[in-house]
Amino acid sequence: MKNSSALKVTAQSDREIVMTRVFDAPPNLVFDAYTKPELLKRWLGIFGGWSMPVCEVDLRVGGKYRWVWRNTDGREMGVRGVYREVVRPERLVNTEKFDDAWYPGESLITATFVEQGGRTTLTATMRYESTEARDAVIKSPMESGVAESYDKLAELLGRGGAPEERADMSETR
């Protein structure tokens, strides 16, 4: 079941975009899905013929990550970054830079995972190097891609999905 309208995206200041979504799962499960390769490969950008054959995560301050998506026609899109802050399961701060940059510079992403009543509010704040970069991202299909990815994440976390999906999440802890 699609629930893309659950994603709230706002431009904040002249260089930031803030995305918020509530998930029906505790923060430790949402954080794990955000940081463990075996889980990331099941939801992040995995739609429309795309898969993630490369998903490397060194989850520590100063650790690096590298993700590469591949489409059925062989096209690839890669991104990399460095973790600047890791506070499990509350906060994650990392840089982001695409191999084939579609916006100038890199971004700094701060993700917070806040629990209320067994649900988690995920807020991701992306800070860009310039207003030009932020505006390029706003004009791109980023919002629909994130919404679709977050729908897949909600399914993985068990929202509207099979109970065995939630069991699979627990086994990866």
Side-chain angles (χ1 to χ4, degrees):
M1 178 170 136
K2 297 283 182 202
N3 194 14
S4 301
S5 64
L7 177 67
K8 305 294 181 223
V9 178
T10 56
Q12 180 174 295
S13 80
D14 61 340
R15 294 176 36 207
E16 292 181 334
I17 297 172
V18 178
M19 299 185 302
T20 305
R21 167 98 186 236
V22 177
F23 294 96
D24 289 332
N28 63 316
L29 292 183
V30 181
F31 190 91
D32 283 353
Y34 226 75
T35 58
K36 291 187 174 187
E38 66 272 20
L39 300 174
L40 283 162
K41 291 171 101 172
R42 294 170 63 185
W43 71 270
L44 184 59
I46 309 304
F47 56 85
W50 289 90
S51 64
M52 187 189 286
V54 177
C55 186
E56 301 164 354
V57 175
D58 181 8
L59 189 63
R60 61 183 174 85
V61 174
K64 297 177 180 178
Y65 71 92
R66 171 86 173 128
W67 304 329
V68 177
W69 292 269
R70 183 175 300 131
N71 200 330
T72 52
D73 65 7
R75 269 185 307 148
E76 289 189 347
M77 179 175 70
V79 68
R80 66 183 68 230
V82 176
Y83 292 104
R84 293 199 176 161
E85 195 176 332
V86 178
V87 182
R88 185 183 195 287
E90 301 163 6
R91 185 176 166 90
L92 188 64
V93 179
N94 60 274
T95 61
E96 176 184 84
K97 184 160 182 70
F98 284 86
D99 294 351
D100 294 321
W102 53 278
Y103 63 84
E106 70 177 13
S107 64
L108 181 67
I109 301 170
T110 301
T112 60
F113 307 80
V114 177
E115 181 173 15
Q116 185 171 4
R119 300 174 80 198
T120 300
T121 299
L122 168 59
T123 302
T125 303
M126 286 85 52
R127 183 170 179 82
Y128 298 93
E129 292 183 2
S130 66
T131 302
E132 173 192 13
R134 187 212 59 186
D135 290 350
V137 174
I138 288 172
K139 291 175 185 169
S140 79
M142 177 274 303
E143 183 174 348
S144 62
V146 170
E148 200 158 347
S149 287
Y150 279 7
D151 286 347
K152 298 261 312 176
L153 175 56
E155 290 173 21
L156 178 64
L157 292 167
R159 180 171 201 257
E164 58 270 16
E165 286 289 293
R166 189 176 285 266
D168 287 349
M169 291 287 300
S170 297
E171 292 170 11
T172 62
R173 284 190 284 180

